[in-house]
Amino acid sequence: MATTHPEFNRDTDGSLVAQAFKDQINGKNVLVTGVAPDGIGRTTALNIASQHPSLLIIAGRIKDKLSSVENEIKQLYPAVNVRSLLVDLSSIASVRNAANEVLNYPEPTIDIIINNILWNIFILTLFYFHLDLLLPFYYPHKNDGS
């Protein structure tokens, strides 16, 4: 697989990736989804915070878990402006509420979005809207009538 950084591989640490993209992160508004204290979202958010974004929005479903990560970021990187965004991406109503909240932020844009829950949303979308596409994935069958 081609990459902009051929030195990256499956063993590359997230801090090295964030450092490689420091010029693209520094001073930008970044949204990280799927943030919880024991997940990849937390690690991603900490690595992004280390590169001095103008605003770091951490998004997740559980307020206490977001608060824990937000406090950790503030403790390690006090100069980083960090905000928690409560959102359940499997709920359209929750997404709309979160979008309205972000639209009321004084910052005009989100420059970078890092989505840590894509697979779950993909499955939910297929389940709700395209069940006919999802079932063969889990229950493969031959198209020859057998």
Side-chain angles (χ1 to χ4, degrees):
M1 176 187 330
T3 178
T4 56
H5 286 268
E7 71 274 19
F8 292 169
N9 60 48
R10 67 178 184 201
D11 299 319
T12 302
D13 183 88
S15 63
L16 296 175
V17 175
Q19 192 172 37
F21 289 97
K22 66 183 176 189
D23 293 337
Q24 289 82 6
I25 297 169
N26 187 295
K28 301 292 189 211
N29 300 326
V30 182
L31 168 66
V32 178
T33 66
V35 176
D38 57 351
I40 191 170
R42 171 193 165 269
T43 304
T44 301
L46 287 169
N47 287 323
I48 295 298
S50 73
Q51 301 307 314
H52 315 289
S54 178
L55 172 64
L56 177 57
I57 305 166
I58 56 172
R61 295 179 297 133
I62 301 170
K63 186 175 185 171
D64 291 343
K65 290 184 176 186
L66 282 174
S67 294
S68 173
V69 176
E70 181 178 356
N71 290 336
E72 183 178 10
I73 292 168
K74 286 179 177 178
Q75 196 170 39
L76 292 170
Y77 306 102
V80 173
N81 180 11
V82 61
R83 290 191 199 128
S84 291
L85 179 66
L86 195 59
V87 60
D88 179 352
L89 294 177
S90 69
S91 163
I92 297 298
S94 178
V95 170
R96 285 185 180 139
N97 288 338
N100 285 329
E101 182 177 333
V102 171
L103 287 171
N104 286 312
Y105 287 173
E107 295 79 12
T109 62
I110 295 175
D111 302 302
I112 302 168
I113 298 175
I114 301 173
N115 188 5
N116 289 298
I117 59 163
L118 179 60
W119 183 246
N120 291 340
I121 296 306
F122 174 71
I123 292 298
L124 286 169
T125 301
L126 285 177
F127 181 74
Y128 287 119
F129 300 109
H130 301 286
L131 190 57
D132 57 320
L133 296 175
L134 181 62
L135 288 177
F137 203 78
Y138 287 108
Y139 302 100
H141 63 282
K142 294 180 184 177
N143 289 331
D144 63 2
S146 59

